Amino acid sequence: MEQKTLPHGLAASRPGGPGGSPGEHGAGTGLLFLREEQMRLAQDLFFFAYRDLTASADAILSELGLGRAHHRALHFVGRRPGIAVSELLALLRITKQSLARVLGELVERGYVLQARGPRDRRQRLLSLTESGRILERRLFERQRERMVSAYRDAGGTAVDGFRRVMRGVMDDETRRLLEPQEMLPPVLRRTAG
Amino acid sequence: MEQKTLPHGLAASRPGGPGGSPGEHGAGTGLLFLREEQMRLAQDLFFFAYRDLTASADAILSELGLGRAHHRALHFVGRRPGIAVSELLALLRITKQSLARVLGELVERGYVLQARGPRDRRQRLLSLTESGRILERRLFERQRERMVSAYRDAGGTAVDGFRRVMRGVMDDETRRLLEPQEMLPPVLRRTAG
DNA sequence: CCATTAAGTCAATGAAGCTGTCTTAACTGC
DNA sequence: GCAGTTAAGACAGCTTCATTGACTTAATGG
C-alpha cells in the first residue's frame, strides 16, 4: 500500500533535466541543477563509486593479509617518494599511532624503505622498495582499468568536469596540498625557483 | 609553466593538456588523457574528495554518539522509504550483523521505524521517523553546502561530466541498482511497467 | 507439508581508527 | 652551549565498524 506508487528510488527523475545538458550556469536556467535531488544523487554517486573503486583492489590485499590502510600508505609513498612521516600524516589525516602500525608492517615486509633525512636527520624519509613498487602497481592496475574505461566512455570534456567537481568538494586545506608546490618538502620549496 | 618542472608532487603537470580541452576522444589526440599520471591523479581526487565530504558531517554525528555507518543507513532509508532490510543490505554491501547493530541503535533512538510488510509479513520495511528526517537533514545540509558550491563553481557541463565518470567507475551491479526501476521491490517490478 | 526466505541473534574476531602519555634524538634560537 | 621545540616512535587502552559461522523464528509458496 504505502509503496504502490513509489515516488522515490535512488536515481529518481532528474528535475529540470540537467542530466542532459544544463547549459552552463546561465541566469535563465537558474540553479536547477543545484536542487536537492541532484545533491542526494551526488551523495549516492560518491558512496558507490568510491566503494567500488577501493573494493577493486581488495582481493590482492587480503591475499597478502594487508588492508586498505596499507594500500593508502603505499599509494602516497609511491606518489611522493622521499616523503617524511609527518607529511604523510598530514596527507592521510590520521594519527601517528594509526599510521605507525600500518607503516611498521610495510617496512617489516620490505615494501617501504626508511632513510634518515640528509638535511634533517630526525626525519625518516619514506620510499618504496622494488617489491613495494611491484605491489603498488598490481593494486593500481585494478583501479586503473576501472578509471580508464570510465574516462574513455565519458570523454575528455567529462573528465575535465569530473576533476573540477572533485576539487571543489575538497577542503581548502586539501586543495592546497594537491598543488605541486605544496607537495614538495619545505627545503625544495625554497630552492626550486 | 606556473608550476616549474617538478619531479613529483601529487598533481604533477598534466601531460597532453586535457586539463584544458582534450577534444572528446578523437583518434588524433590518442589516449593522452588516459595516461598513468592522469589515473594516479584520479586516485588522489577520489581519496581526498570522499574523505572531506564524509568528514563534513562528523561533528554532528560524534555529538550524538553516532558514527558514519549510522549516517549511511539513515541516508539510504531516507532515500528509499519503505526499503526492506535485505535491500538495504544489498545497497550497503555489508553483512546482516554489521547492519543489525547500527540499525538497532537507530530504531532504539527513534530515528528509524520498522513496519511489517503488507504483502510479505516477514519483511521489516524501514522508514525515517520525523526526528530521523530532521537528523538526516542536518547531516545532509553540511554535505549539501559543499556539493552545491562545487557544482556551482564547476558549472553544469562539468556536473554532467562528473556524473558520467562516477557512474563509469562503479560495478555493473551497482549501476543497475542506481536505476529507478531496479530500486523498486520485486513485487512492483513485475507490476509496474 | 516442507523447503526456502526474511529477519534477528549469539559469540568471537579483525581492521583501523582514536586518546593520552612518554622517550629519544636532532634541530633552532637566543 | 643550553633551552625549548620538533620528528619519530612506543606503550596502554579504547571505539567503531566490519567480518565469519551457527542458529532461531516466522512467513511464504510450490
Side-chain angles (χ1 to χ4, degrees), chain A residues 66-81:
Chain A
L66 298 173
R68 292 178 185 180
H70 299 93
H71 187 188
R72 282 195 290 275
L74 215 53
H75 167 79
F76 282 115
V77 171
R79 203 90 171 89
R80 239 196 118 181

Side-chain angles (χ1 to χ4, degrees), chain B residues 9 13 30 36-37 44 50 71 82 102 120 136 154 156 161 173 189 192:
Chain B
S13 62
E36 170 144 342
E37 168 58 24
D44 295 342
Y50 186 76
H71 188 187
V102 165
D120 187 337
E136 194 282 329
E173 167 68 15
R189 221 175 294 154

Side-chain angles (χ1 to χ4, degrees), chain B residues 41-74:
Chain B
L41 176 59
Q43 288 184 294
D44 295 342
L45 293 174
F46 264 105
F47 172 72
F48 290 123
Y50 186 76
R51 183 196 62 180
D52 290 354
L53 183 66
T54 55
S56 65
D58 282 359
I60 298 171
L61 287 169
S62 77
E63 229 174 66
L64 298 171
L66 297 174
R68 290 179 186 182
H70 298 93
H71 188 187
R72 283 195 290 274
L74 214 54

Side-chain angles (χ1 to χ4, degrees), chain B residues 177-188:
Chain B
L177 282 178
L178 264 173
E179 288 162 19
Q181 300 86 339
E182 296 297 327
M183 292 311 302
L184 294 174
V187 185
L188 290 179

Side-chain angles (χ1 to χ4, degrees), chain B residues 46-170:
Chain B
F46 264 105
F47 172 72
F48 290 123
Y50 186 76
R51 183 196 62 180
D52 290 354
L53 183 66
T54 55
S56 65
D58 282 359
I60 298 171
L61 287 169
S62 77
E63 229 174 66
L64 298 171
L66 297 174
R68 290 179 186 182
H70 298 93
H71 188 187
R72 283 195 290 274
L74 214 54
H75 167 79
F76 283 115
V77 172
R79 203 89 170 92
R80 235 197 123 181
I83 191 174
V85 172
S86 57
E87 294 174 309
L88 186 53
L89 283 172
L91 277 183
L92 294 170
R93 290 217 196 137
I94 58 177
T95 57
K96 214 192 332 179
Q97 293 69 20
S98 297
L99 179 58
R101 192 186 347 96
V102 165
L103 205 51
E105 285 177 290
L106 291 177
V107 169
E108 193 186 355
R109 295 187 190 210
Y111 295 127
V112 168
L113 212 96
Q114 291 172 309
R116 204 163 273 259
R119 302 188 215 324
D120 187 337
R121 289 164 34 80
R122 290 172 302 178
Q123 294 182 324
R124 298 289 178 277
L125 305 184
L126 307 169
S127 55
L128 298 186
T129 62
E130 185 54 28
S131 79
R133 271 190 293 275
I134 292 170
L135 172 56
E136 194 282 329
R137 178 152 293 280
R138 278 183 70 201
L139 295 167
F140 172 57
E141 201 51 34
R142 299 297 180 91
Q143 301 196 334
R144 193 184 135 271
E145 287 165 17
R146 246 168 220 277
M147 295 187 299
V148 161
S149 79
Y151 272 21
R152 189 192 299 115
D153 293 350
T157 307
V159 168
D160 184 53
F162 163 75
R163 285 201 275 242
R164 289 157 59 131
V165 171
M166 293 299 267
R167 279 175 195 273
V169 165
M170 297 176 195

